[in-house]
């Protein structure tokens, strides 16, 4: 079988940040790397779950809502994939992620979609953990620019 694009990225060089993983037609996949790969420090299941609920809800409630395709965690638990239409320019995508992560860092209240009716594992939540992840990534992305979206080689 052909090797998929994400397996062709040198994970030994990856640092925390936001990268353009691939472009398929009008869909841009961003790799939001929140942990250094293979470093024995991974996203915890519950904090990742909470982060996903708030991240997905936030971006789908912005002016870009119609151009958001998908938000979801990586199986390796080192970050998230964020898929958008190419009508969202790279600088807009970076700012949207910055704004979203600042929102998560300061989030109070009920976690969106975290009821038994709305979620298949509704009790697996960690808001404090999600907020800590967001605060860390706010610092990482504070000066991020479109030229930073390219993977190191």
């Amino acid at each position: 079988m052909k090797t998929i694009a994400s397996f062709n990225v040198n994970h030994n060089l990856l640092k925390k940040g936001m990268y353009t993983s691939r472009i398929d037609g009008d869909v841009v996949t961003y790799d939001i790397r929140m942990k250094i790969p293979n470093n024995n420090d991974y996203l915890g299941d519950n904090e990742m779950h909470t982060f996903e609920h708030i991240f997905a809800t936030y971006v789908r409630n912005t002016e870009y809502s119609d151009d958001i395709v998908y938000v979801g965690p990586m199986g390796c638990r080192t970050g998230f994939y964020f898929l958008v239409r190419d009508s969202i320019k790279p600088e807009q995508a970076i700012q949207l992620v910055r704004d979203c992560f600042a929102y998560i860092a300061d989030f109070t209240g009920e976690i969106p979609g975290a009821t038994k009716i709305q979620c298949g594992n509704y009790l697996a939540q960690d808001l404090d953990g999600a907020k800590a992840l967001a605060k860390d990534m706010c610092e990482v992305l504070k000066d991020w620019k479109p030229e930073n979206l390219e993977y190191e080689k």
Side-chain angles (χ1 to χ4, degrees):
M1 286 191 279
K2 185 176 165 184
T3 303
I4 64 171
S6 62
F7 295 159
N8 287 317
V9 174
N10 186 341
H11 285 70
N12 291 324
L13 300 176
L14 273 176
K15 296 176 177 66
K16 292 179 184 181
M18 181 173 171
Y19 305 95
T20 304
S21 175
R22 57 185 296 144
I23 300 173
D24 300 290
D26 71 334
V27 176
V28 180
T29 299
Y30 290 104
D31 168 342
I32 301 174
R33 198 60 61 151
M34 303 168 80
K35 298 287 184 176
I36 296 170
N38 302 308
N39 201 35
N40 292 324
D41 178 28
Y42 303 100
L43 300 173
D45 292 340
N46 293 355
E47 66 189 5
M48 182 172 59
H49 188 206
T50 302
F51 200 96
E52 176 196 15
H53 275 239
I54 303 170
F55 187 0
T57 300
Y58 180 91
V59 296
R60 288 187 175 110
N61 279 279
T62 66
E63 64 186 284
Y64 303 108
S65 63
D66 291 340
D67 296 312
I68 305 302
V69 176
Y70 175 75
V71 172
M74 296 176 181
C76 62
R77 297 186 5 236
T78 61
F80 278 79
Y81 286 116
F82 181 43
L83 282 70
V84 301
R85 301 272 177 219
D86 64 3
S87 56
I88 299 176
K89 302 303 173 210
E91 47 281 332
Q92 293 170 313
I94 293 167
Q95 190 58 52
L96 177 58
V97 168
R98 272 195 205 112
D99 293 346
C100 178
F101 288 9
Y103 176 80
I104 295 170
D106 293 331
F107 186 83
T108 59
E110 292 186 29
I111 299 163
T115 70
K116 191 173 183 179
I117 291 172
Q118 299 169 313
C119 179
N121 195 6
Y122 77 105
L123 294 176
Q125 303 289 340
D126 178 1
L127 181 56
D128 289 338
K131 290 170 76 164
L133 289 172
K135 286 178 186 166
D136 179 58
M137 287 305 294
C138 285
E139 187 62 28
V140 170
L141 296 175
K142 72 178 181 183
D143 296 320
W144 214 258
K145 296 175 179 54
E147 52 267 23
N148 299 119
L149 291 171
E150 191 171 324
Y151 289 118
E152 281 189 48
K153 296 183 186 199

